[in-house]
Amino acid sequence: PHPRIAWVPPFAEMGHKLFPASQELFRKYGFLNLEYCDINDEKKEEQLAHLDQYDIIYLTGGDPIGFRRNIIRSRLAGKLQKYLTTGGMIVAASGGSMQFTKNVSLFRLLNVALDEVFKNRSEYEAIGVVDYEILPHLNRFEPSFLETVLHYSELVDNDVIGLADGAAILHRSSDDFMCVGRVTRFHKGVMTPIDTAT
């Protein structure tokens, strides 16, 4: 009834700015036990070592490349995978959700040419809990960027799943999931809507 939640931002500076507003928002929905969990400048090794004591781990949004870098530095990836194997619940938004996919290179397409992204794509592998890549905020992108994502999907073996704001993918396991809201699949250069729960 009163879950203890670890709130994990990608960077300490951003986290300190956003945490009070997040506390208030979570409180409105009845979640009173939200605890700041730093993986950047002020990380507490004891807190990270005892993530299994939390009922929920929440990864915020934010730059997925920097988030990935700090997950690696803090050795959080292994802890999250272990947490999942014991039945723990993880909730992730935007850049945080991209960490559980195969790769975070989609974010690089915003500023880097497709050919360049593919030259060193292997250097941007994510935790790989699920077998696809996520494109959050699908509804905010220009058609020209979505065209680039289509070309990207031709070059990768996995699907790219686009989520409009408010949409979600709910997993029971790595390959058992349902989608909610406006969700689109990019596969081998073809973009199709995914049937979702209402």
Side-chain angles (χ1 to χ4, degrees):
H2 301 290
R4 187 179 176 209
I5 304 170
W7 188 88
V8 184
F11 314 107
E13 185 180 349
M14 175 195 138
H16 287 303
K17 268 188 216 167
L18 299 180
F19 186 61
S22 288
Q23 274 184 307
E24 189 55 39
L25 182 61
F26 274 71
R27 201 174 283 129
K28 283 182 183 175
Y29 289 97
F31 298 106
L32 308 178
N33 300 323
L34 195 67
E35 297 178 30
Y36 186 91
C37 181
D38 189 86
I39 61 168
N40 182 210
D41 295 335
E42 304 163 9
K43 62 181 179 287
K44 298 174 185 167
E45 295 300 337
E46 189 171 331
Q47 185 184 33
L48 292 174
H50 294 96
L51 286 176
D52 59 330
Q53 295 177 4
Y54 289 91
D55 300 297
I56 300 170
I57 297 174
Y58 175 78
L59 273 66
T60 72
D63 169 16
I65 307 295
F67 212 151
R68 174 186 172 276
R69 193 166 41 248
N70 284 331
I71 284 173
I72 291 167
R73 281 186 192 148
S74 62
R75 299 185 303 279
L76 183 63
K79 293 176 176 73
L80 292 173
Q81 288 170 314
K82 183 179 177 186
Y83 181 81
L84 284 171
T85 62
T86 61
M89 177 184 283
I90 295 178
V91 179
S94 190
S97 67
M98 294 177 78
Q99 306 308 314
F100 296 94
T101 69
K102 306 264 296 176
N103 200 291
V104 296
S105 286
L106 280 167
F107 186 75
R108 298 172 60 225
L109 288 173
L110 291 167
N111 303 305
V112 179
L114 182 61
D115 291 347
E116 281 296 308
V117 166
F118 264 86
K119 275 184 191 173
N120 57 358
R121 181 173 174 268
S122 62
E123 295 174 24
Y124 292 86
E125 289 179 355
I127 298 171
V129 173
V130 297
D131 205 23
Y132 54 82
E133 293 177 59
I134 285 180
L135 177 64
H137 312 297
L138 179 68
N139 52 301
R140 299 188 195 181
F141 295 115
E142 296 293 329
S144 58
F145 179 74
L146 297 182
E147 192 67 31
T148 303
V149 174
L150 278 174
H151 292 307
Y152 179 89
S153 77
E154 290 176 326
L155 300 170
V156 297
D157 294 329
N158 53 267
D159 287 348
V160 172
I161 306 293
L163 301 174
D165 290 347
I169 303 175
L170 310 173
H171 276 267
R172 290 181 192 89
S173 66
S174 62
D175 57 0
D176 180 12
F177 63 90
M178 65 181 234
C179 299
V180 178
R182 186 178 147 217
V183 182
T184 302
R185 177 186 187 218
F186 297 79
H187 178 76
K188 296 300 175 192
V190 178
M191 185 170 72
T192 53
I194 294 177
D195 288 334
T196 60
T198 54

